[in-house]
Amino acid sequence: MIPTEAHGTIALQPSACTSCMICVRECPTWCIELESHTEQVSEPDARRPKTVNILDAFRIDFGLCMYCGICVDLCPFDALAWSPEHDLAATTAGGLVLGIDELSRAWPNRNPTSGS
Amino acid sequence: MTPPLDLAVEPGDWLRSVVALRDEGCEVFDFLTAVDRGQVIEVVVRVMNPATKAATMVWTTVPADAAELASLSEHYLGATWCERETAEMFGVRFMGLADQRPLLLRATLGRPPMLKESALVARAVREWPGAAQATDDGRQGGNPSRRRQLPPGVPDDFLRPDRSSLDQSAGTT
Ligand code: SF4
Ligand code: SF4
């Protein structure tokens, strides 16, 4: 039985990520890559449209990641978390590079019974 | 007696303090390493008492330009490896260490790589994934900034053309 708080892999919650680049900068092994662009969003009661970052790509190369957890600790928006998923294997080095889909699928469900 | 958890000593008292802990029961050598604080290098050793499971960290500080410390290798099995590593990585000389062979690096490499002044060569030759402008102000997008940001660990002038040689070649053509 793997404990839910186990440090199996790093997971991403893309809706929480603001593309601030902090994790990309601080990762000691440079194994995070991020691509984003800005869009204007009009809100009904705002005078001017708001500029927001849209996350286009987010990749972690688990062939380089050393599981230090610095990205998890530093993300100001809790968009990164430790996940107990641990069965990462690939037949090529490139297969260890995970994108938004795989990283968000690993997002930990720590309170399965208290869900809304 | 339970030794204090953390003990800072003068470099001249290093050997005596650690051997005193060993005599009090801290017979297991855990690790020894260093931290580069700029002008000084901190050296730390962790020893444990196998009976009580208590561990003690002993710290000392040596000047970076004269980083010398007495070796614990005569008194602790296992200290040799850590002292060889700390000598190689941080340039600390362990007086009385019988085996001074480098562990990983060629003796000709230059500056010890774990000193903060040593350029991180791998970072100079790769494009920094963090070079794009920060976007937490919501304005810059993920676009690369016009003023190139340098990654930490690479000095400004490292592996970049020397200005004077550029000016010279411009003058001769
Ligand atoms: S755990 Fe460490 S090495 Fe891995 S992506 Fe995060 S900061 Fe980088
Ligand atoms: S630190 Fe968090 S919010 Fe910022 S880019 Fe990384 S994952 Fe996204």
Side-chain angles (χ1 to χ4, degrees), chain A residues 11-14 16-25 32 34 55 58 71-72 74-80, chain B residues 135-136:
Chain A
L12 172 77
Q13 181 68 268
C17 173
T18 64
S19 310
C20 71
M21 300 289 290
I22 289 175
C23 57
V24 180
R25 292 239 170 83
I32 308 178
L34 186 155
L55 184 66
F58 190 106
C71 55
V72 176
L74 291 181
C75 174
F77 304 100
D78 289 342
L80 292 167
Chain B
T135 57
D136 36 3

Side-chain angles (χ1 to χ4, degrees), chain A residues 18-22 24-38 51-53 64 77, chain B residues 122-124 126-143 149 151-152 154:
Chain A
T18 64
S19 310
C20 71
M21 300 289 290
I22 289 175
V24 180
R25 292 239 170 83
E26 300 300 328
C27 169
T29 65
W30 290 12
C31 69
I32 308 178
E33 284 180 357
L34 186 155
E35 288 159 31
S36 68
H37 70 277
T38 52
T51 309
V52 296
N53 294 316
L64 288 174
F77 304 100
Chain B
R123 292 191 162 194
R126 217 196 115 186
E127 199 183 327
W128 188 28
Q133 183 59 268
T135 57
D136 36 3
D137 62 354
R139 276 185 288 118
Q140 295 273 358
N143 304 323
Q149 278 195 300
V154 185

Side-chain angles (χ1 to χ4, degrees), chain A residues 10 27-29 31-32 60 64-72 82:
Chain A
I10 309 277
C27 169
T29 65
C31 69
I32 308 178
I60 299 183
L64 288 174
C65 172
M66 58 177 181
Y67 297 84
C68 64
I70 287 174
C71 55
V72 176
W82 283 110

Side-chain angles (χ1 to χ4, degrees), chain B residues 56-119:
Chain B
T56 302
M57 303 247 263
V58 188
W59 296 83
T60 195
T61 306
V62 291
D65 52 5
E68 285 183 0
L69 206 56
S71 170
L72 304 174
S73 56
E74 297 262 300
H75 306 276
Y76 275 104
L77 287 173
T80 298
W81 181 276
C82 290
E83 289 184 354
R84 282 171 66 191
E85 187 180 51
T86 305
E88 181 168 32
M89 296 294 165
F90 293 89
V92 178
R93 258 169 65 86
F94 289 93
M95 315 307 283
L97 175 63
D99 186 350
Q100 305 256 0
R101 285 173 301 155
L103 279 170
L104 284 172
L105 308 175
R106 288 185 201 169
T108 53
L109 192 78
R111 286 192 72 77
M114 293 300 280
L115 294 182
K116 293 200 172 89
E117 268 182 25
S118 303

Side-chain angles (χ1 to χ4, degrees), chain B residues 13-23 45 47 58 72 76:
Chain B
D13 294 333
W14 175 251
L15 185 63
R16 192 157 17 103
S17 311
V18 182
V19 170
L21 284 169
R22 187 204 58 180
D23 294 342
V45 66
V47 289
V58 188
L72 304 174
Y76 275 104

